[in-house]
């Protein structure tokens, strides 16, 4: 079974600082990778996803992530955070291939951006 | 609007009571699932379904039942609520390839006293 590890439980940044949130997964085959964001009191929204092709993927709100297969990593980055990025961020993995549906989440990283 | 609809949004139960959390989607997605979210634990899969009449257990199935009689609906039943089931519950669905990601409902916040 697959698993996901997110390195940081809580990250505190000042506005305009750069962000990098770590995510590593464990699975023996090919995977689809996701980052979701959850703003306070809201449901999960898809930030970006990787299925195949260019390992550097761009998502909404200026976020991007890089898939490094050799490191089993899918780190999330943003060059300059804003107060409105305060949220919890979840990395998730789904084994690719027909009939593979289960989405497994990491425990999340809470981001607090100080104005 | 197309999406996943969960009801109710909030619920308080007494220990031992039963209830059903409703989930409906109008995107003709074959895959539907239930997660619970607890602080510091992320989202954990309770049960999932890959089509009408087909269900299976996830990581934390104990205390919960599901059924899938139609493509649209995937209710989650708590047979005898316990305080350990206090959580936020999310329903999610996905199409056949998953390329467009998983769509989540707005959640049900359940408190068992």
């Amino acid at each position: 079974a697959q698993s996901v590890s997110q390195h940081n439980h809580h990250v505190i940044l000042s506005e305009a600082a750069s962000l990098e949130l770590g995510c590593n997964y464990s699975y023996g085959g090919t995977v689809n990778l996701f980052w979701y964001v959850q703003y306070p009191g809201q449901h999960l929204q898809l930030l970006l996803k990787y299925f195949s092709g260019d390992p550097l993927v761009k998502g909404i709100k200026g976020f991007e992530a890089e898939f490094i297969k050799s490191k089993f990593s899918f780190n999330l980055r943003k060059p300059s955070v804003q107060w409105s990025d305060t949220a919890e961020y979840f990395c998730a993995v789904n084994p690719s291939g027909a009939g593979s549906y289960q989405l497994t989440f990491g425990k999340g990283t809470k981001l607090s951006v100080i104005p | 609007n197309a999406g996943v609809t969960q009801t109710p949004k909030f619920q308080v139960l007494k220990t031992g009571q039963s209830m059903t959390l409703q989930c409906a989607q109008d995107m003709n997605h074959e895959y539907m699932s239930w997660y619970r979210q607890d602080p510091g634990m992320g989202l954990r899969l309770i049960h999932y379904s890959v089509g009408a009449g087909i269900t299976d257990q996830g990581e934390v199935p104990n205390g919960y039942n599901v059924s899938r009689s139609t493509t649209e609906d995937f209710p989650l039943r708590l047979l005898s609520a316990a305080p350990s089931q206090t959580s936020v519950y999310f329903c999610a669905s996905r199409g056949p390839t998953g390329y467009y990601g998983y769509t989540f409902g707005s959640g049900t916040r359940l408190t068992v006293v």
Side-chain angles (χ1 to χ4, degrees), chain A residues 66-106:
Chain A
E66 184 175 13
F67 172 50
I68 303 179
K69 189 175 181 180
S70 61
K71 295 184 178 180
F72 298 88
S73 69
F74 190 55
N75 291 354
L76 181 71
R77 299 195 291 250
K78 186 172 184 178
S80 175
V81 295
Q82 301 172 322
W83 177 79
S84 58
D85 294 324
T86 295
E88 191 157 17
Y89 293 81
F90 294 93
C91 182
V93 63
N94 157 235
S96 56
S100 296
Y101 292 92
Q102 288 191 49
L103 186 66
T104 300
F105 286 87

Side-chain angles (χ1 to χ4, degrees), chain B:
Chain B
N1 292 333
V4 177
T5 302
Q6 287 184 240
T7 56
K9 293 189 181 303
F10 301 95
Q11 184 71 49
V12 178
L13 287 180
K14 293 183 178 179
T15 298
Q17 285 185 316
S18 64
M19 80 160 295
T20 300
L21 280 62
Q22 302 291 345
C23 175
Q25 53 91 10
D26 57 2
M27 299 169 284
N28 202 33
H29 284 173
E30 56 189 22
Y31 176 79
M32 296 185 74
S33 55
W34 277 100
Y35 289 87
R36 60 176 289 171
Q37 182 180 23
D38 302 291
M41 300 295 291
L43 283 83
R44 293 179 292 169
L45 183 65
I46 305 171
H47 284 285
Y48 64 96
S49 168
V50 298
I54 306 170
T55 64
D56 207 345
Q57 296 180 351
E59 181 185 355
V60 287
N62 292 342
Y64 307 95
N65 276 357
V66 292
S67 60
R68 184 97 178 266
S69 56
T70 67
T71 300
E72 294 78 19
D73 300 298
F74 190 45
L76 178 72
R77 297 183 186 84
L78 284 70
L79 301 178
S80 179
S84 61
Q85 294 178 304
T86 293
S87 187
V88 181
Y89 292 85
F90 288 99
C91 180
S93 72
R94 199 202 88 172
T97 68
Y99 183 75
Y100 298 102
Y102 295 70
T103 303
F104 283 82
S106 57
T108 296
R109 185 174 294 274
L110 175 67
T111 302
V112 182
V113 298

Side-chain angles (χ1 to χ4, degrees), chain A residues 7 9 11 34 37 63 71 76 84 102:
Chain A
H7 307 158
H9 176 64
V11 173
F34 305 82
V37 60
F63 286 91
K71 295 184 178 180
L76 181 71
S84 58
Q102 288 191 49

Side-chain angles (χ1 to χ4, degrees), chain A residues 3 10 20 29 32 45-46 48 57 59 61 76 79 87 89 93 106:
Chain A
S3 66
H10 191 185
E20 181 160 2
N32 303 319
Q45 302 174 40
L46 182 65
L48 47 79
V57 294
K61 302 179 188 285
L76 181 71
Y89 293 81
V93 63

